Amino acid sequence: MKRSLLLAAVAVTAVAALTGCASGASAPAASTPAALSGAITVYNAQHEELTQAWADAFTADTGVTVTLRNGSDTELSNQIVQEGSASPADVFITENSPAMTQVDNAGLFAPVDSSTLAAVPTPYVPGTGNWTGVAARATVIVYNPSLISEADLPASIMDLQNPEWKGRWAASPTGADFQAIVSAILAEKGADATAAWLAGMKQNSVAYKGNSTVMKAVNAGEIPMGVIYHYYWYIDQSKTGENSKNTKLHFLKNEDPGAFVSVSGGGVLASSKNPAAAQAFLAYVTGTGGQGILRDGTSFEYAIASGVPANPALPPLDTLQAPKIDPASLNGPQVVTLMTQAGLL
């Protein structure tokens, strides 16, 4: 077999383990590429283009056929929980981590190979070690400088519940992206403070369908600012910029819940019929090959593993001053309950 990208990824993870940048979790040793054959099914809630690129490269490298079943975070996590041990999925990939926690709490993941966990820095690995981060996205305020100056933006996302922000900010409350941000508020501030914040959000915010729509509304001057993830702005800027040309981004930093960095996750189902290939796919995604595809692609999400730097257009992750939150602690179902009680869902 010709020189394998997967072999390179495994080598990198071994180096990472020796240098101590790993999470320290233990799991069975990774399968060798020579043992790989057959096919795997990936339930994919990530950008389809990105995961397809990962799948195509992995197949070219190993000969393992990868079938993608695409859907949203919560749609697919609920489906996996309903399917249980009969799920045809071998691997689950998400945009945000609460969906991973839902499947993990149901006991449906196998431990991730220790060599794969070794490639991913601790902040992007859940305490359980049963899944791992594969990418990340940063929470930002997108604002229109003609309507509000950066100096006048809120100091904290928590301030947005205050009366002075009524009608002055937008969000997409029905989306998994925003619900993940609320899960960070819940983890940092507790249920009572989160419920109070959501009540303020119900009074103050303007709801749109989707982060792109929020950004377009800010760009058009319909509203001064919105809470979104960073990559929507960078994707538009990399094209025509027509939906973001009148806007700028503000990073709240200071470990504020509004500086939350959401972890996109990947895990292997305990019921996988081809666990060797499933673990190898996750190793590839977090290795230099997979992370290089992420860095050089069009999603503008953050590469986080194997020492691969982020796309140079993005501010480095270590400058964002994100809050330190164990991804395993993010409670998606409780967030849905709280947002429903607040009348946002």
Side-chain angles (χ1 to χ4, degrees):
M1 179 181 290
K2 64 182 180 179
R3 185 180 179 185
S4 169
L5 289 173
L6 185 58
L7 282 169
V10 171
V12 168
T13 58
V15 170
L18 292 173
T19 56
C21 71
S23 62
S26 60
S31 302
T32 60
L36 301 182
S37 62
I40 58 172
T41 296
V42 176
Y43 278 20
N44 175 54
Q46 247 292 348
H47 293 113
E48 293 181 21
E49 182 179 354
L50 171 61
T51 308
Q52 189 65 62
W54 281 335
D56 290 345
F58 179 73
T59 298
D61 191 44
T62 65
V64 174
T65 301
V66 179
T67 299
L68 301 186
R69 294 191 181 179
N70 298 308
S72 70
D73 280 357
T74 53
E75 173 193 358
L76 292 178
S77 62
N78 286 333
Q79 182 174 340
I80 290 171
V81 170
Q82 289 171 358
E83 291 169 343
S85 61
S87 178
D90 297 286
V91 176
F92 183 32
I93 301 286
T94 64
E95 289 189 331
N96 298 285
S97 58
M100 302 299 294
T101 299
Q102 181 186 2
V103 175
D104 196 5
N105 288 344
L108 298 176
F109 280 136
V112 176
D113 284 348
S114 58
S115 56
T116 300
L117 292 178
V120 186
T122 301
Y124 312 113
V125 176
T128 65
N130 291 333
W131 57 274
T132 183
V134 298
R137 59 265 304 275
T139 307
V140 296
I141 291 177
V142 59
Y143 69 101
N144 189 320
S146 68
L147 300 178
I148 188 170
S149 68
E150 186 167 27
D152 291 332
L153 293 174
S156 168
I157 198 172
M158 303 305 293
D159 295 342
L160 293 176
Q161 67 187 300
N162 299 335
E164 62 265 29
W165 294 106
K166 183 175 179 61
R168 301 179 66 196
W169 68 284
S172 177
T174 60
D177 285 356
F178 189 80
Q179 291 168 25
I181 295 169
V182 177
S183 74
I185 296 174
L186 178 61
E188 288 285 282
K189 302 296 184 181
D192 290 345
T194 303
W197 188 85
L198 290 171
M201 176 182 174
K202 175 64 175 177
Q203 293 297 315
N204 295 346
S205 68
V206 178
Y208 289 87
K209 182 69 173 179
N211 283 325
S212 293
T213 310
V214 170
M215 182 178 68
K216 290 176 184 178
V218 175
N219 186 66
E222 295 176 17
I223 196 158
M225 63 184 185
V227 177
I228 64 172
Y229 281 148
H230 78 281
Y231 66 90
Y232 292 91
W233 190 87
Y234 283 96
I235 289 173
D236 191 67
Q237 288 281 301
S238 72
K239 298 176 181 178
T240 63
E242 62 181 324
N243 298 314
S244 62
K245 62 184 178 181
N246 300 321
T247 69
K248 293 184 178 180
L249 295 188
H250 177 71
F251 293 80
L252 284 167
K253 300 186 177 182
N254 299 313
E255 298 191 9
D256 188 80
F260 170 61
V261 170
S262 183
V263 176
S264 300
V268 173
L269 278 298
S271 56
S272 171
K273 304 300 188 295
N274 194 350
Q279 292 282 358
F281 179 75
L282 202 55
Y284 176 77
V285 167
T286 56
T288 54
Q291 293 292 289
I293 287 173
L294 173 59
R295 176 199 60 210
D296 300 333
T298 58
S299 74
F300 285 91
E301 293 183 82
Y302 279 96
I304 59 173
S306 296
V308 175
N311 186 300
L314 305 178
L317 268 173
D318 60 9
T319 68
L320 303 186
Q321 301 173 13
K324 298 175 177 63
I325 300 174
D326 182 349
S329 71
L330 299 179
N331 191 325
Q334 187 177 7
V335 164
V336 170
T337 297
L338 289 170
M339 293 185 72
T340 300
Q341 291 172 346
L344 292 162
L345 297 179

